[in-house]
Amino acid sequence: MKTDTEKVIEEKENYYLKALEWYSEYEIISKSEYSSINTCFNNYIECHENSMKFTKNLRCKRRSCPICDEIDRSAKYFEIMKKIENFKNRYLIFILTINGKNVEIDDRNKLQNELNVLRKNFNKLVKCSFLKNIVKGYLRVTEIAYNPERNSFLPHLHILLFTIKGIYKHFKMKELKEMIQAKWNTMSGFKTNVHLEKLGTEEKVQKTVSYLTHSKKKRLKNFFDNDENKTILSAYLNIIKRKRIYYWSKFKE
C-alpha cells in the first residue's frame, strides 16, 4: 500500500508528464523550450530515484516548467516573508487589490496594453496627495486571472502597502477605501470595486503572502485539468513571458 508521500509524488509526476505531453506538440511552447523542460524533468526524476538533492543548476528555471513553477512559488513566499520581517515593526501593512478590464484571450495586444495601462494608473494612484504622505513603500504583484464564463483574462494588481503607523490620524479605513476607489474608477474610466484590508496579525500576513505566491489556484497545474485549456495556457504563457510579476518599490524614509 502506498504512503501519502508516495501518492503525492506519483500525482506530481503524472502532472509533469501530462505537461510534457502537451508541450511536445510545440503549439504552446517552442521546441527549444520543450527540450529545456524535458531535461529538467529527467534531472528531477534522476535525483528522486537516487535520493539526490534537486539543485538549482539542474533546473531549467522557465516559467512554463511545471517543476520550476512550484519550486519558485514556494521560494518566493519565503523571500517576501523575509523582507517583510525587516519592515513590520516600522510600518502598518495593508493589502490593496485593483482590477483592470476583461480582455478576450485571443487578443494579446489588447491584453498587453491593458497591463501597461494598469501599471501606469497605479503609479499615478500611489502618487496622489492622499496616499503619497502615508505610503512609504509597496510590493506590487501583477496577476492575470482566467474567467471561464466570459472566456477572457482579467488583469489585476495585488499590492502590499507599507504605511506610516499614524495613518489613522489622517483617515478612517472606510474613508481611505472610498477615496482610492473613486480615484481608481476615474483613472480607469469604468466602475470597479477595490479591496483594501489591514494585515494586522502575523497570521494574516502569512495567509496573504501565501495567496500571492503558492496558493493552489495560482499554480500552473490548474491549466492541465482538461484539453480545452491548451489555448488558454498558450495565451497565458505568451503574455507573462519576461514579465516582472513581483515588483518592490523603493522605500521612503
Side-chain angles (χ1 to χ4, degrees):
M1 187 174 181
K2 293 180 180 178
T3 65
D4 289 342
T5 301
E6 288 172 333
K7 288 178 181 178
V8 169
I9 292 173
E10 183 179 23
E11 183 183 333
K12 278 188 175 184
E13 290 182 0
N14 288 336
Y15 150 54
Y16 297 154
L17 285 169
K18 185 168 185 178
L20 285 171
E21 181 185 344
W22 280 25
Y23 289 161
S24 66
E25 299 170 4
Y26 308 134
E27 294 176 356
I28 299 175
I29 62 174
S30 68
K31 191 172 183 177
S32 62
E33 194 167 353
Y34 170 79
S35 179
S36 296
I37 295 172
N38 190 40
T39 299
C40 187
F41 175 74
N42 289 332
N43 289 339
Y44 169 82
I45 294 297
E46 183 178 356
C47 288
H48 171 65
E49 290 178 346
N50 294 284
S51 300
M52 297 164 54
K53 189 174 182 180
F54 186 50
T55 56
K56 199 170 184 178
N57 64 305
L58 296 174
R59 294 172 46 209
C60 65
K61 308 176 191 68
R62 291 182 181 269
R63 285 185 179 169
S64 52
C65 176
I67 299 174
C68 293
D69 175 66
E70 295 205 357
I71 293 173
D72 289 342
R73 286 184 179 279
S74 294
K76 182 60 69 174
Y77 169 83
F78 291 106
E79 177 189 316
I80 293 173
M81 286 301 300
K82 184 177 180 180
K83 197 157 187 175
I84 288 177
E85 189 67 27
N86 297 326
F87 296 138
K88 68 179 184 181
N89 293 326
R90 297 164 58 188
Y91 310 113
L92 296 183
I93 308 174
F94 293 79
I95 178 68
L96 170 67
T97 300
I98 47 181
N99 293 330
K101 295 178 182 177
N102 279 284
V103 179
E104 296 79 4
I105 67 168
D106 57 352
D107 196 337
R108 297 178 186 180
N109 290 334
K110 189 175 180 181
L111 180 56
Q112 178 59 65
N113 182 66
E114 184 60 27
L115 284 168
N116 292 338
V117 169
L118 193 58
R119 285 191 288 263
K120 286 179 181 177
N121 282 346
F122 170 70
N123 289 340
K124 293 177 183 177
L125 175 69
V126 82
K127 291 176 182 176
C128 289
S129 57
F130 67 92
L131 282 180
K132 71 178 183 179
N133 293 325
I134 60 173
V135 175
K136 292 301 183 179
Y138 60 84
L139 167 64
R140 186 188 70 212
V141 183
T142 302
E143 285 196 355
I144 304 169
Y146 175 66
N147 184 336
E149 295 179 358
R150 295 190 178 189
N151 192 32
S152 64
F153 285 126
L154 176 63
H156 58 284
L157 302 177
H158 296 293
I159 305 104
L160 289 182
L161 295 174
F162 297 83
T163 75
I164 59 173
K165 289 199 169 184
I167 186 174
Y168 294 118
K169 295 178 181 179
H170 300 267
F171 305 104
K172 292 181 179 180
M173 187 74 172
K174 183 179 178 182
E175 178 188 10
L176 181 59
K177 180 182 177 180
E178 288 175 350
M179 292 174 72
I180 292 174
Q181 182 156 334
K183 189 66 177 179
W184 186 252
N185 288 347
T186 299
M187 290 191 299
S188 301
F190 63 96
K191 290 185 178 181
T192 180
N193 290 326
V194 304
H195 174 77
L196 180 68
E197 179 185 356
K198 180 186 174 185
L199 304 181
T201 65
E202 184 72 17
E203 183 182 0
K204 279 191 173 182
V205 172
Q206 291 176 358
K207 187 176 180 180
T208 299
V209 175
S210 177
Y211 176 79
L212 297 178
T213 54
H214 62 227
S215 67
K216 288 184 178 180
K217 67 178 292 186
K218 298 182 185 299
R219 296 178 189 177
L220 199 60
K221 183 178 181 180
N222 295 326
F223 285 103
F224 295 92
D225 290 339
N226 61 72
D227 288 348
E228 294 178 2
N229 288 348
K230 288 183 179 179
T231 301
I232 303 164
L233 176 60
S234 178
Y236 174 79
L237 291 177
N238 183 273
I239 202 64
I240 67 166
K241 192 179 295 182
R242 294 183 291 275
K243 289 289 185 302
R244 191 171 183 180
I245 305 299
Y246 301 90
Y247 172 80
W248 284 95
S249 72
K250 291 183 179 179
F251 277 65
K252 298 177 288 186
E253 294 299 328

